[in-house]
Amino acid sequence: MSTAEETAGGEAQPWGEVTPDAARRLLLAAVEAFAERGYHATTTRDIAGRAGMSPAALYIHYKTKEELLHRISRIGHEKALDILRTASRGEGTATERLADAVSSFVRWHARGRTTARVVQYELDSLGPGARAEIVGLRRQVDAEVRGIIEDGVRSGEFDVPDVPGTTLAVLSLCIDVARWFNVDGPRTPEQVGALYADLVLRMVGVGNTGSV
């Protein structure tokens, strides 16, 4: 399954914000190459070849290979933040909002697992400036989840003695789905999302939640 196909399961127009079409094709090719070979082992010639273009054509749209990774990382983190922000600021109890945040975040990592692997695991390949921007987005992601957990502690719904540590555990659990999820496996993204939501609610002390 190609990156475009797998991402289309979660978006009406995957990477639609990237224009023109040639720039979008190069970005999709870069995602596939980085996920398969790793950032450092991928060359601009590899990326251009996957996109059916010449290496010279790549430089029309992206000055460097790092610029491609930076754009992939920024867009991916902005999407992840939007998913969690929508859940955290929605209506409902802290329990309901945390379940929604986890299930939505897990589905995103499962449906777009190739993209998510690059977004989540290539941070150290970015230069200092680009890395600082992505770290800032990650802090916002952390803050959304931490805020829901803090709300649950205040309301008495959650029993969490270490909110920062629990936040890290929840995010790590969700992100790791991109590493192991198999589209041909026994569970759908929706089923994994529901399972993880239930597991996280147990983690924060909600108890036997039943199906989520």
Side-chain angles (χ1 to χ4, degrees), residues 3 9-10 53 88 111 113 116 121-122 135 140 146 159 184 204 211:
T3 303
M53 300 166 68
S88 71
R111 288 172 178 164
R113 63 202 181 284
Y121 296 118
E122 287 288 1
V135 168
Q140 293 180 62
R146 188 173 66 251
D159 179 13
D184 297 319
V204 299
S211 60

Side-chain angles (χ1 to χ4, degrees), residues 32-164:
E32 292 176 350
F34 294 157
E36 179 182 318
R37 306 188 62 185
Y39 174 79
H40 293 293
T42 298
T43 66
T44 53
R45 185 175 294 275
D46 294 331
I47 296 168
R50 286 173 184 259
M53 300 166 68
S54 69
L58 184 147
Y59 294 109
I60 295 174
H61 303 284
Y62 301 99
K63 295 178 182 178
T64 63
K65 184 177 69 169
E66 185 192 349
E67 183 179 335
L68 262 168
L69 178 60
H70 182 204
R71 191 164 192 190
I72 292 164
S73 297
R74 185 177 67 247
I75 292 173
H77 279 86
E78 287 171 347
K79 289 181 183 297
L81 178 59
D82 183 63
I83 288 167
L84 293 173
R85 185 171 283 161
T86 298
S88 71
R89 301 182 184 184
E91 297 181 357
T93 64
T95 298
E96 292 168 337
R97 288 183 287 124
L98 184 59
D100 185 25
V102 170
S103 61
S104 299
F105 203 42
V106 165
R107 289 197 304 270
W108 183 75
H109 281 84
R111 288 172 178 164
R113 63 202 181 284
T114 304
T115 299
R117 283 200 299 271
V118 175
V119 169
Q120 300 292 5
Y121 296 118
E122 287 288 1
L123 176 64
D124 290 339
S125 298
L126 292 170
R131 189 179 189 280
E133 180 185 2
I134 302 306
V135 168
L137 288 170
R138 288 194 175 196
R139 287 175 178 154
Q140 293 180 62
V141 164
D142 180 278
E144 295 297 336
V145 175
R146 188 173 66 251
I148 302 174
I149 296 175
E150 289 171 342
D151 287 347
V153 172
R154 281 192 294 268
S155 69
E157 295 170 64
F158 302 159
D159 179 13
V160 178
D162 182 349
V163 172

